[in-house]
Amino acid sequence: MKIIYRDKVWELKGNITVRDAIKKVGLQPEAVLAMRDGKLITDDVIAKPDDTIRLIAVVSGG
Amino acid sequence: MKCRKCGATAVINMRQHRLSLCQDHFLEWVPQQVQRAIEHFRMFAPDEKVLVAVSGGKDSLSLWDILLRLGYAADGLYIHLGIPDGGYSDVSQQKVERFAAERGAKFLVVNVAAEYGMSTPEVSRRKPGRSTCGTCGLVKRHIMNQVAYEGGYAVLATGHNLDDEAAVLFQNVLHWATGYLARQAPVLPSTHPKLVRKVKPLIRLYEREMAAYALLRGIDYIYEECPYSRGATTLFYKELLNQLEERSPGAKQMFYLSFLQAREEGRLLPAEAGEVELGECQRCGQPTSVPDLCAFCRLWEGAVIGQGPQEAEEQ
Ligand code: SF4
Ligand SMILES: [Zn+2]
Ligand SMILES: [Zn+2]
């Protein structure tokens, strides 16, 4: 699966939960939201190999 | 994961509440949390006029959206600080304008450079000892109170969420800054006739929930951080607290809410520890704890020739 966060992209193998994917790329599950096909998903979802997951940083603004 | 209320696919799971909700139920749940905070901390009554300080970010725009949905008379205040980088202040203002236009909501704009002759980063550069954020905070606090007071608003609301407050608390505890601890509250009552009550209605909500709310409501907010963001420290504390949260869901909430409770019950500091005697600034008339000029007026002293805050006010 493909993980996109800000201007970074990671390619991960296997069927793993979104939560594990977030940790694998070194981010905090509490600090991001995950979207697939433009929809918000919970992080227990198991991402399929051809899924693209976009992560949104929850901190922003001044 | 399923929505606990209706069994549909959940869009968010809040581990600290052991609660997962679908889009509709989440968008219903968030305003309920805000209403609970408003009532619990006696922030304001349904008939009081509220001024929401909006930055164009997710928290303040969402707060405004929620208050309007709850039926409060809530107007917005946007302070254009004149942060030039990538048109940060301009872009933020556009987001606020669009939000207000879509909802037919009323909002006020104060453009710092137009009003006082210099942008916030410019005036900040004249005071080398002070960070841009320090100056910016002072400018914002002054303008917010002035606009709220002159506009006859009962209360000024800001979009601080639980993560913001927990990070500040963490910092204050690391320094045992008892003065700050005494004043770190969801409601800052008016201690002077010209000082408007300040409230933080989002303090029960995690940052993550606020981002989800803004996204699901289709609120177009400014995603980039302010280029001057003091970020580094605050972000680091937020990260540490999130690490704790990961280990033990609810830790952030416990840290902050139990502080509030201890404070409320007088178990931490004597109640009057944070109170200061206030006078009025000789120039702008706003409440100040120092004699003669308030910190805001001293900031602009000699800065602008022929266009001080005094004139600007009369325009
Ligand atoms: S990050 Fe600093 S300069 Fe930017 S808006 Fe916030 S307080 Fe002001
Ligand atoms: Zn539901
Ligand atoms: Zn003054």
Side-chain angles (χ1 to χ4, degrees):
Chain A
M1 85 201 67
K2 197 185 266 177
I3 308 281
I4 305 176
Y5 175 73
R6 297 192 193 260
D7 51 4
K8 295 191 201 98
V9 183
W10 295 273
E11 220 22 275
L12 296 183
K13 287 205 177 70
N15 292 325
I16 55 168
T17 64
V18 170
R19 190 174 185 85
D20 286 340
I22 293 168
K23 290 191 204 165
K24 234 181 194 147
V25 301
L27 296 171
Q28 294 183 312
E30 191 64 28
V32 292
L33 291 166
M35 297 188 90
R36 185 177 58 187
D37 305 324
K39 288 211 168 71
L40 209 54
I41 53 170
T42 51
D43 57 15
D44 64 320
V45 169
I46 294 171
K48 292 181 255 355
D50 56 351
D51 275 348
T52 296
I53 310 287
R54 182 177 292 278
L55 302 178
I56 316 277
V58 303
V59 184
S60 67
Chain B
M1 217 166 251
K2 302 272 178 247
C3 170
R4 191 208 274 174
K5 300 206 170 143
C6 72
T9 305
V11 294
I12 189 161
N13 178 32
M14 296 167 283
R15 296 165 89 217
Q16 82 277 23
H17 299 305
R18 296 172 185 277
L19 179 65
S20 51
L21 294 173
C22 69
Q23 170 153 347
D24 289 352
H25 283 118
F26 178 68
L27 290 179
E28 212 170 77
W29 179 84
V30 172
Q32 283 166 3
Q33 295 301 304
V34 175
Q35 182 59 33
R36 269 179 68 184
I38 293 170
E39 286 169 17
H40 178 86
F41 296 103
R42 296 196 185 83
M43 292 185 175
F44 44 87
D47 58 344
E48 284 187 304
K49 255 175 69 175
V50 184
L51 185 65
V52 186
V54 283
S55 65
K58 68 177 193 304
D59 298 299
S60 54
L61 287 181
S62 294
L63 170 60
W64 196 8
D65 179 71
I66 292 163
L67 294 180
L68 291 172
R69 284 181 67 201
L70 288 169
Y72 288 102
D75 296 343
L77 165 64
Y78 178 73
I79 301 175
H80 188 295
L81 298 159
I83 293 164
D85 318 52
Y88 189 79
S89 291
D90 291 337
V91 175
S92 302
Q93 181 169 339
Q94 284 158 19
K95 307 262 182 206
V96 175
E97 273 166 8
R98 246 188 69 196
F99 176 97
E102 279 167 13
R103 288 161 180 78
K106 187 186 158 196
F107 82 108
L108 309 150
V109 177
V110 174
N111 187 307
V112 174
E115 204 84 3
Y116 300 101
M118 249 193 268
S119 72
T120 312
E122 277 167 353
V123 74
S124 171
R125 247 169 262 139
R126 299 175 63 249
K127 305 262 158 164
R130 204 178 209 147
S131 70
T132 306
C133 288
T135 306
C136 181
L138 170 63
V139 167
K140 285 192 287 198
R141 277 195 304 278
H142 179 92
I143 295 176
M144 282 186 226
N145 185 66
Q146 187 168 30
V147 173
Y149 171 71
E150 287 171 2
Y153 291 92
V155 56
L156 179 76
T158 55
H160 297 90
N161 58 45
L162 193 143
D163 292 50
D164 294 328
E165 292 300 297
V168 171
L169 176 61
F170 192 58
Q171 184 165 20
N172 287 341
V173 166
L174 283 181
H175 295 99
W176 288 111
T178 48
Y180 286 132
L181 285 173
R183 270 173 282 139
Q184 197 190 343
V187 179
L188 285 180
S190 166
T191 52
H192 183 281
K194 290 188 180 175
L195 196 65
V196 176
R197 187 189 332 143
K198 279 198 209 145
V199 298
K200 298 169 183 169
L202 300 183
I203 46 132
R204 301 178 66 92
L205 292 151
Y206 277 12
E207 184 121 55
R208 192 162 176 273
E209 289 147 27
M210 291 320 300
Y213 181 87
L215 257 156
L216 293 170
R217 285 285 291 165
I219 295 172
D220 178 24
Y221 63 90
I222 185 138
Y223 184 62
E224 297 77 35
E225 276 159 58
C226 170
Y228 294 101
S229 181
R230 84 202 100 184
T233 339
T234 313
L235 277 187
F236 179 57
Y237 291 143
K238 283 186 176 177
E239 258 175 56
L240 285 177
L241 290 167
N242 279 341
Q243 246 175 62
L244 214 59
E245 184 74 19
E246 172 70 26
R247 276 270 195 109
S248 123
K252 273 192 295 202
Q253 173 178 278
M254 164 81 90
F255 177 57
Y256 180 62
L257 296 181
S258 49
F259 158 72
L260 289 186
Q261 202 176 345
R263 196 179 164 282
E264 218 172 298
E265 291 167 4
R267 283 186 281 125
L268 272 183
L269 307 146
E272 69 281 10
E275 277 181 30
V276 215
E277 202 60 46
L278 292 178
E280 283 184 20
C281 170
Q282 301 201 337
R283 191 158 181 190
C284 71
Q286 288 227 62
T288 170
S289 54
V290 290
D292 301 332
L293 296 186
C294 73
F296 179 83
C297 288
R298 267 184 288 130
L299 183 65
W300 301 90
E301 260 291 89
V304 201
I305 300 131
Q307 205 204 353
Q310 205 84 67
E311 282 99 328
E313 258 175 43
E314 287 158 12
Q315 279 165 6

